[in-house]
Amino acid sequence: MSQPTAQANQPQPDTRAKQHFRGWTPLPSRLNPYLPPIFITLILLIGNLSFGILESYSKTLLAIVTAITFELVLGRIFLHKWPHPASAYITGISVGILLRSPAFWPYALCSALSITSKYALRVQGRHIWNPSNFGICAMLILASQAVASLSIQWGNNFASLVVIWVLGTVIVLRAKRFHITLTYVVSFIALSFLRAHITGDPWQAEIAPITGPMYQLFIFFMITDPKTTVRSRMGQCGVAVAIAVVEFFLRLNSSIYAPLYALFWVGPLALFIEMWIDSHRGRSIASATVPSPEGLRS
Amino acid sequence: MKLSTPAAAPARSGVVARILVTIFFAGLLATPYLMRRFSTGGRTASAQPDSQAALARYGFYLQEVSHTAGIDFVHQAPTLDPKLAAIMPEVSSMGAAVSIVDFDRDGWPDIYVTNSAIGSKNHLYHNNHDGTFTDLAEQMGVADVNRDGTGVSMGAVWGDYDNDGYEDLFLVKWGRPELFHNDHGHGFTRVTDQSGLPTWFNANTAVWFDYDGDGLLDLFVGGYYPEGLDLWHLPSTRMMPESFEYAKNGGRKYLFHNLGNGHFEEVSAKVGIDSRRWALAAAAADLRGTGHPDLFVANDYGVSELYLNDGKHFHEAGAETGIGFAPKSGMNASVGDVFNQGKLDIYVSNISEEGVLIQGNNLWVPKDGPTLKYENLARDLGVELGGWSFGAQFGDLNNDGNLDIYLENGYISLDRKRSYWYDFAKVAGGNSSIIGDAANWPAFDGRSLSGYQQKHVWLNDGAGKFIDVAQAVGATDTYDGRSVVLADLWNRGVLDAVVANQRGPLLIYRNTVTPENDWIEFSLEGTKSNRSAIGAQLTLFWDGKQQVQQVSGGNGFASENDRRIHFGLGKKPQIDKVVIRWPSGAVQTLENLTPDRLYTVKERS
């Protein structure tokens, strides 16, 4: 889910890592660009060694290699420098975890779509879709015969839940983005009870998705992406609520991938609104400077 | 002529790059469509059923003849504890099973069918030799086996456990298992109480095989729901799997060692079989040529297990052989030599629902090498996507010399327009504390879940590809298929198909095969080996090819094929020999064989 920095029409990715992590504590500053990749790798390894969450290492490796390759090539063409591979690495690993297919090609294609979307779909020099969210949604819509995501996966037990919550919380706290996660979770739970009231289904059934470890990746690593979220803290919380609300309606319509699709629609819309407001105020578009784990990833 | 300024050049190159990346991006988006359009895997013949066209093009066609054969059986599903009423279609979604047995040794295959509602009757259809069957279950004493308080039938496997020459019946149940002794084809005597079998388990699979080579058939049983549950009187609603991919809270496994006196000793722990995965299907076969039958178990909600047998102990080698890595929803275990290379492959069915869950079925093919390793070639061969798949069987349906696959599918067919998939996926991905309690699941409310699915009859082209010809050859039903068996029901040298459907009719697909293709069949009888010859492997050599098949004591999903082994031979075959490796270790070679004949072979004593 990485992208070139959103500096007007000429992104400067060589400064991106520093920008992404300006909000991080200075102690491990040299390591900061590597912390999110390290954390998500830990999640992957723990999940796979304990539960075998991956279709296979080779498929995940294919997703990672494809993402990094595309990032390097496209970055070189458009930015005239070699981009830092950390964000592409996280995009690849996200694809490896979130995508499910017995075939190899969807992993490569999803990573390629994710990275390329950053360069092809830009508004005012800024890419507007969270790359892995775009890639996975595109695959779910266009290649539904071959892929699935976020359904029946991973341990389903308390231990795996705790591992991801702890690791995810550490990352988003350091990135000063925990408010986004918290707002979304609170919104989701509140709307789950409302949904249960409307549908007559057990509230546990409505809560169930957020208790699944795979869902946590969405909460911690996807909706917190600084490159595809608005700048203000209030705005970020508002977007989180909006995602939960759109997901609410999608779920009432029995959309299995409701959170992914909600982010797919709400994320770009929020950015358009922000751009319009900025334009209206006569301000130039500035890239978000608040770091987050998703920033590296996307 | 207008000259470009130096500053305009990079801007123009940037625009060009932007255009190129946009075109490339559009190409990426179009890739899935192109993949689907030009994919050679999963080819489907879409023609409407036309028997003559199918005969000319594929070499066979199927006609559903159950009614004219005198069979109008409709399966009744169980109704479990009322506490499960909201999700009853899901928790009671199995029980339709069929097995083939020549119970009276008249040389004609008979059909045994299970029923699963309390008070419903199982049926034993005796072959009248004229295209019809007569139900003799009541008369023979194997009909009234689903009485209140004893649970209901989930499957049946036949094996001559006392080597008296007549196949005995083991009834797999959610409830009290039953063993019936075959009284020389004149009736059955219930011998459960003196057999040493447990008083209750909730199982869906059982396999007769002689794991220790003592000439007596032993019995493997794979539990599904925990054996401590009386599904009609549940203490609570916490009876669901703890996970939909990693569940280990299912029923235990049993291995009953035949002591030879009508009594069985449970030895699973002693021999190294210890699992509480949710078993749905099992097959025993000597996969390594050791002379000892290994045991493959397909588990729902988790990985498959492969128990390698050294004759006395089993070693679970699923992960190290490659078949036990990715957790799926295993519902079938069939073995067959797909490539005619003298090696047995394993076909496991799983769930594939477009846009929701793509597990894909597995065709495990052994790799060359000193140790047993498998690779999944289902996708490469085009037998991966089969819907919500259940029972499958290998068999040469057109007698061309290549093993085809007949796959049943379809989970719950209720309201065509409303699906339960969203609710299913919603809860199944959640925490175990939510999943494991049936009370947390949304009500089914008459919705379907992967219902009304078209079946798959995959024809092996002998060159590494299968094509689905189900619709073209007449396998056009869309019932909730569970169990399928292939048998030469009328001794014509062709494999007919019998299908048991959940809450649906028993279907008999009569096969008509082009007369150009020849065949050969073998009926074996063990002497030193178990008399059913279960576990015997036959390798037929003809026209420079070889194909191995095995006498099975239960395979597929809740099913058992005819004891006789059928080989298709193609046109004008030159048969070299058949090599029979008996469970005792004896090897018998037959030469000078003539096509289009059934050979009865007795093990040399």
Side-chain angles (χ1 to χ4, degrees):
Chain A
M1 303 193 182
S2 70
Q3 70 274 339
T5 49
Q7 292 288 0
N9 292 319
Q10 285 298 318
Q12 300 297 322
D14 52 326
T15 60
R16 181 181 39 177
K18 290 177 185 174
Q19 290 176 342
H20 285 170
F21 291 94
R22 196 170 293 163
W24 287 55
T25 55
L27 181 63
S29 58
R30 284 194 305 166
L31 295 176
N32 271 345
Y34 302 100
L35 285 178
I38 290 171
F39 273 124
I40 200 168
T41 304
L42 271 177
I43 289 174
L44 177 134
L45 288 176
I46 292 169
N48 202 48
L49 292 175
S50 56
F51 295 106
I53 62 167
L54 299 177
E55 281 283 332
S56 71
Y57 282 113
S58 51
K59 288 172 181 168
T60 303
L61 186 64
L62 176 63
I64 294 170
V65 169
T66 304
I68 291 176
T69 303
F70 271 71
E71 180 82 316
L72 292 176
V73 172
L74 292 175
R76 186 70 195 170
I77 292 172
F78 284 94
L79 311 173
H80 311 297
K81 292 187 177 179
W82 297 111
H84 196 292
S87 62
Y89 172 79
I90 300 182
T91 295
I93 218 167
S94 299
V95 169
I97 293 175
L98 291 172
L99 201 69
R100 284 286 162 133
S101 174
F104 277 85
W105 66 265
Y107 291 87
L109 181 60
C110 188
S111 284
L113 272 170
S114 299
I115 299 298
T116 310
S117 74
K118 296 193 305 183
Y119 296 88
L121 303 175
R122 303 179 70 81
V123 176
Q124 296 181 10
R126 185 177 186 180
H127 78 265
I128 54 175
W129 265 285
N130 177 298
S132 60
N133 175 245
F134 180 91
I136 290 170
C137 286
M139 294 298 291
L140 291 172
I141 294 167
L142 300 173
S144 60
Q145 83 284 5
V147 303
S149 180
L150 274 178
S151 53
I152 303 167
Q153 300 164 350
W154 204 342
N156 307 82
N157 68 12
F158 191 68
S160 55
L161 190 68
V162 168
V163 167
I164 294 193
W165 270 99
V166 169
L167 291 177
T169 301
V170 167
I171 294 172
V172 295
L173 276 174
R174 288 183 60 80
K176 298 183 178 177
R177 295 237 150 192
F178 188 67
H179 58 281
I180 299 177
T181 299
L182 187 63
T183 303
Y184 174 81
V185 170
V186 170
S187 304
F188 179 92
I189 291 173
L191 292 168
S192 292
F193 283 98
L194 177 58
R195 214 163 41 239
H197 178 72
I198 293 171
T199 62
D201 289 340
W203 63 267
Q204 294 92 338
E206 299 300 336
I207 294 289
I210 209 165
T211 67
M214 293 303 292
Y215 212 90
Q216 313 309 318
L217 296 173
F218 174 78
I219 297 168
F220 287 115
F221 295 96
M222 204 174 275
I223 64 172
T224 57
D225 178 9
K227 311 307 293 181
T228 52
T229 52
V230 297
R231 291 190 307 276
S232 75
R233 191 180 177 88
M234 283 297 292
Q236 290 165 355
C237 291
V239 171
V241 172
I243 292 169
V245 169
V246 172
E247 179 186 355
F248 168 83
F249 286 108
L250 289 172
R251 285 194 174 280
L252 284 180
N253 200 35
S254 300
S255 173
I256 289 176
Y257 302 117
L260 294 172
Y261 293 155
L263 176 61
F264 183 88
W265 293 113
V266 172
L269 183 61
L271 290 178
F272 277 128
I273 292 172
E274 184 180 59
M275 290 176 193
W276 181 83
I277 292 173
D278 287 346
S279 172
H280 191 68
R281 289 175 181 170
R283 286 163 39 182
S284 61
I285 303 298
S287 63
T289 56
V290 180
S292 98
E294 183 61 11
L296 269 190
R297 174 169 59 158
S298 62
Chain B
M1 188 177 204
K2 192 173 182 178
L3 296 175
S4 298
T5 64
R12 194 164 53 236
S13 67
V15 170
V16 170
R18 183 76 57 207
I19 292 171
L20 289 177
V21 81
T22 302
I23 294 171
F24 179 67
F25 184 64
L28 289 176
L29 288 171
T31 300
Y33 169 78
L34 298 173
M35 292 284 292
R36 189 196 291 237
R37 182 173 174 82
F38 297 108
S39 171
T40 54
R43 291 178 299 168
T44 300
S46 57
Q48 294 297 310
D50 178 334
S51 56
Q52 292 312 308
L55 195 62
R57 187 165 186 184
Y58 305 117
F60 78 111
Y61 67 89
L62 303 170
Q63 286 176 294
E64 206 289 300
V65 298
S66 57
H67 181 70
T68 55
I71 296 178
D72 290 297
F73 172 85
V74 177
H75 175 259
Q76 300 173 56
T79 302
L80 307 178
D81 190 304
K83 288 192 279 291
L84 305 176
I87 57 169
M88 194 63 75
E90 180 181 352
V91 293
S92 62
S93 60
M94 292 177 286
V98 58
S99 51
I100 300 294
V101 59
D102 180 8
F103 76 92
D104 57 353
R105 294 192 62 168
D106 63 354
W108 293 75
D110 310 306
I111 303 170
Y112 188 69
V113 189
T114 59
N115 219 333
S116 309
I118 294 293
S120 65
K121 303 286 177 63
N122 292 2
H123 293 245
L124 175 60
Y125 292 105
H126 180 251
N127 194 324
N128 297 329
H129 313 175
D130 60 358
T132 66
F133 293 84
T134 301
D135 180 21
L136 298 182
E138 291 271 18
Q139 183 180 326
M140 294 289 161
V142 289
D144 191 14
V145 291
N146 303 312
R147 277 174 277 179
D148 193 13
T150 71
V152 299
S153 301
M154 287 288 129
V157 286
W158 299 80
D160 184 4
Y161 74 84
D162 59 350
N163 289 332
D164 68 350
Y166 287 84
E167 303 287 352
D168 309 300
L169 168 63
F170 177 72
L171 206 54
V172 188
K173 293 178 72 176
W174 289 355
R176 187 181 71 194
E178 302 287 9
L179 181 63
F180 289 94
H181 180 261
N182 185 340
D183 302 328
H184 288 214
H186 302 301
F188 291 84
T189 302
R190 182 177 174 275
V191 294
T192 311
D193 297 336
Q194 57 268 39
S195 66
L197 296 171
T199 55
W200 194 278
F201 53 56
N202 301 301
N204 285 81
T205 183
V207 174
W208 288 106
F209 71 128
D210 181 8
Y211 82 91
D212 59 349
D214 64 357
L216 297 169
L217 284 177
D218 311 302
L219 181 66
F220 170 80
V221 177
Y224 190 68
Y225 288 111
E227 62 279 4
L229 291 180
D230 177 345
L231 296 168
W232 289 262
H233 305 90
L234 291 169
S236 76
T237 49
R238 293 205 65 83
M239 44 71 75
M240 298 292 280
E242 61 193 345
S243 162
F244 270 65
E245 290 198 333
Y246 306 92
K248 294 181 179 177
N249 63 336
R252 60 164 292 187
K253 308 295 167 284
Y254 301 87
L255 182 58
F256 298 106
H257 181 225
N258 188 342
L259 301 178
N261 55 1
H263 198 83
F264 292 81
E265 177 191 11
E266 206 291 304
V267 297
S268 59
K270 193 191 299 184
V271 302
I273 297 176
D274 181 18
S275 168
R276 279 198 170 273
R277 295 189 184 276
W278 295 62
L280 275 185
D286 180 3
L287 299 171
R288 299 170 295 161
T290 61
H292 308 296
D294 308 302
L295 183 64
F296 180 90
V297 182
N299 295 306
D300 202 358
Y301 315 125
V303 296
S304 297
E305 295 166 311
L306 177 57
Y307 292 95
L308 300 180
N309 180 10
D310 69 6
K312 292 182 180 177
H313 294 90
F314 290 85
H315 161 62
E316 205 288 298
E320 65 192 63
T321 56
I323 61 101
F325 185 76
K328 296 186 178 179
S329 306
M331 286 173 276
N332 177 76
S334 306
V335 293
D337 183 2
V338 168
F339 294 104
N340 285 344
Q341 58 185 3
K343 295 178 180 176
L344 291 172
D345 314 306
I346 306 168
Y347 191 64
V348 184
S349 65
N350 298 296
I351 302 171
S352 295
E353 177 73 14
E354 189 168 306
V356 182
L357 181 63
I358 309 291
Q359 292 181 332
N361 296 344
N362 297 120
L363 178 59
W364 294 112
V365 178
K367 297 179 181 177
D368 292 330
T371 57
L372 186 63
K373 296 277 187 187
Y374 287 93
E375 58 183 334
N376 177 22
L377 297 184
R379 185 174 194 82
D380 302 290
L381 271 64
V383 294
E384 179 184 49
L385 301 178
W388 192 304
S389 305
F390 269 93
Q393 295 292 353
F394 288 106
D396 190 347
L397 292 166
N398 60 357
N399 285 344
D400 69 347
N402 300 301
L403 289 181
D404 313 304
I405 297 176
Y406 196 121
L407 174 72
E408 278 305 311
N409 62 13
Y411 190 37
I412 297 168
S413 299
L414 296 172
D415 189 332
R416 285 179 181 271
K417 294 179 179 175
R418 296 186 304 130
S419 171
Y420 189 72
W421 257 115
Y422 166 74
D423 284 312
F424 185 87
K426 178 174 66 180
V427 179
N431 185 262
S432 60
S433 60
I434 294 176
I435 298 171
D437 192 339
N440 294 335
W441 286 74
F444 232 87
D445 193 25
R447 289 175 284 179
S448 292
L449 184 59
S450 289
Y452 303 102
Q453 297 195 328
Q454 291 187 340
K455 312 311 163 195
H456 296 275
V457 177
W458 275 305
L459 200 60
N460 185 347
D461 68 3
K465 289 293 179 188
F466 285 77
I467 181 171
D468 182 13
V469 299
Q471 303 308 306
V473 301
T476 55
D477 74 274
T478 56
Y479 297 108
D480 293 336
R482 293 291 178 271
S483 176
V484 57
V485 292
L486 300 178
D488 184 0
L489 290 178
W490 294 290
N491 293 340
R492 300 172 300 135
V494 303
L495 290 176
D496 308 293
V498 186
V499 177
N501 295 297
Q502 189 78 0
R503 294 174 289 103
L506 184 80
L507 302 178
I508 298 181
Y509 282 106
R510 188 179 192 275
N511 192 2
T512 299
V513 178
T514 176
E516 294 177 346
N517 288 345
D518 293 316
W519 55 274
I520 191 169
E521 293 179 354
F522 298 92
S523 178
L524 306 187
E525 182 175 331
T527 53
K528 289 181 290 186
S529 306
N530 69 84
R531 200 157 171 183
S532 297
I534 289 172
Q537 288 193 351
L538 299 85
T539 306
L540 183 74
F541 296 83
W542 85 109
D543 292 347
K545 296 180 280 192
Q546 62 171 311
Q547 184 182 108
V548 62
Q549 292 195 40
Q550 178 194 267
V551 180
S552 171
N555 67 356
F557 173 77
S559 60
E560 186 173 11
N561 284 330
D562 190 3
R563 199 70 81 219
R564 294 180 301 186
I565 297 294
H566 171 99
F567 290 93
L569 300 172
K571 297 179 179 67
K572 298 183 173 64
Q574 293 296 314
I575 303 173
D576 301 322
K577 62 183 175 182
V578 66
V579 178
I580 303 171
R581 195 152 53 84
W582 296 88
S584 65
V587 176
Q588 201 166 339
T589 301
L590 304 178
E591 296 176 327
N592 302 317
L593 298 167
T594 306
D596 302 337
R597 279 189 57 188
L598 165 66
Y599 286 86
T600 300
V601 184
K602 196 167 185 175
E603 182 182 16
R604 290 198 194 99
S605 53

